[in-house]
């Protein structure tokens, strides 16, 4: 027989998922973006969707172990590109950059998506992603977080005996 929970226990479970979800949303999409989304959800009708997204997507799925956040971002980029959901795609491209994805990785993910979901969706995905990447970079500069790209040094150069 399924477990029986009180209304208060269910409410508490939803509260935990919402709280964990909002933390994850802030981490990936940014506090400013999330707070604007919540503020724009005027009334209980629209707020119900924000609560659902926060609890289900961000609180229940994004917080699960098993996949790195960057991998979750790549999955969302592909699905949103295939669905031609430009607004959400832009959000998740920026989130992928925050999660450590590179432009090269995002390009390859979108090429893979275009191959399987069609060129029109892929072309639009590239348009949206290019703009999102530029916006993300500009925000990093404006926020004082811009860093020079990492240049890898091979092992032999790191272990130069003259430098020891």
């Amino acid at each position: 027989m399924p477990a029986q929970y009180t209304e208060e226990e269910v409410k508490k479970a939803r509260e935990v998922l919402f709280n964990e979800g909002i933390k994850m949303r802030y981490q990936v999409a940014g506090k400013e973006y999330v707070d604007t989304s919540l503020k724009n959800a005027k009334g209980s009708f629209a707020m119900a969707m924000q609560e659902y997204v926060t609890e289900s997507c961000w609180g229940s799925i994004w917080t699960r172990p098993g996949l790195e956040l960057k991998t979750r971002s790549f999955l969302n980029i592909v699905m949103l590109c295939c669905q031609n959901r430009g607004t959400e795609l832009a959000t998740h491209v920026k989130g992928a950059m925050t999660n450590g994805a590179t432009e090269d990785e995002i390009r390859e993910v979108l090429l893979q998506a275009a191959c399987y979901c069609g060129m029109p969706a892929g072309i639009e995905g590239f348009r949206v992603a290019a703009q999102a990447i530029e916006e993300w970079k500009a925000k990093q500069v404006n926020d004082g977080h811009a860093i020079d790209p990492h240049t890898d040094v091979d092992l032999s150069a790191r272990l130069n005996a003259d430098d020891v």
Side-chain angles (χ1 to χ4, degrees):
M1 174 179 238
Q4 298 294 316
Y5 298 101
T6 66
E7 188 175 319
E8 189 59 36
E9 289 172 318
V10 171
K11 181 180 176 185
K12 181 64 179 171
R14 291 187 63 220
E15 183 180 308
V16 168
L17 287 173
F18 183 87
N19 289 336
E20 291 304 305
I22 205 76
K23 287 191 291 188
M24 183 61 72
R25 275 183 93 177
Y26 282 160
Q27 180 180 337
V28 175
K31 188 174 185 335
E32 181 182 342
Y33 174 84
V34 174
D35 286 346
T36 299
S37 295
L38 294 171
K39 185 179 131 215
N40 289 341
K42 300 196 183 333
S44 61
F45 182 82
M47 185 52 83
M49 188 61 189
Q50 287 297 318
E51 290 170 354
Y52 177 63
V53 165
T54 302
E55 293 167 10
S56 298
C57 296
W58 295 100
S60 185
I61 297 301
W62 275 82
T63 60
R64 288 179 56 84
L67 289 177
E68 294 178 9
L69 294 180
K70 184 167 82 167
T71 303
R72 291 188 188 281
S73 289
F74 289 156
L75 290 167
N76 281 16
I77 287 170
V78 168
M79 290 182 280
L80 293 166
C81 176
C82 291
Q83 296 173 359
N84 281 312
R85 299 293 184 243
T87 302
E88 289 297 313
L89 175 59
T91 299
H92 283 279
V93 166
K94 293 173 187 175
M97 299 288 287
T98 299
N99 288 336
T102 66
E103 288 180 59
D104 290 344
E105 289 172 321
I106 292 170
R107 180 186 63 235
E108 293 304 316
V109 165
L110 287 169
L111 286 170
Q112 183 93 10
C115 178
Y116 284 89
C117 71
M119 293 304 159
I123 290 168
E124 182 62 18
F126 263 84
R127 284 186 193 125
V128 169
Q131 181 176 343
I133 289 168
E134 291 308 312
E135 289 172 2
W136 184 88
K137 286 179 178 178
K139 185 169 182 356
Q140 299 309 299
V141 170
N142 290 340
D143 292 350
H145 299 300
I147 58 170
D148 292 329
H150 171 73
T151 303
D152 202 9
V153 178
D154 69 15
L155 188 58
S156 63
R158 291 183 203 167
L159 298 176
N160 187 338
D162 296 336
D163 294 337
V164 178

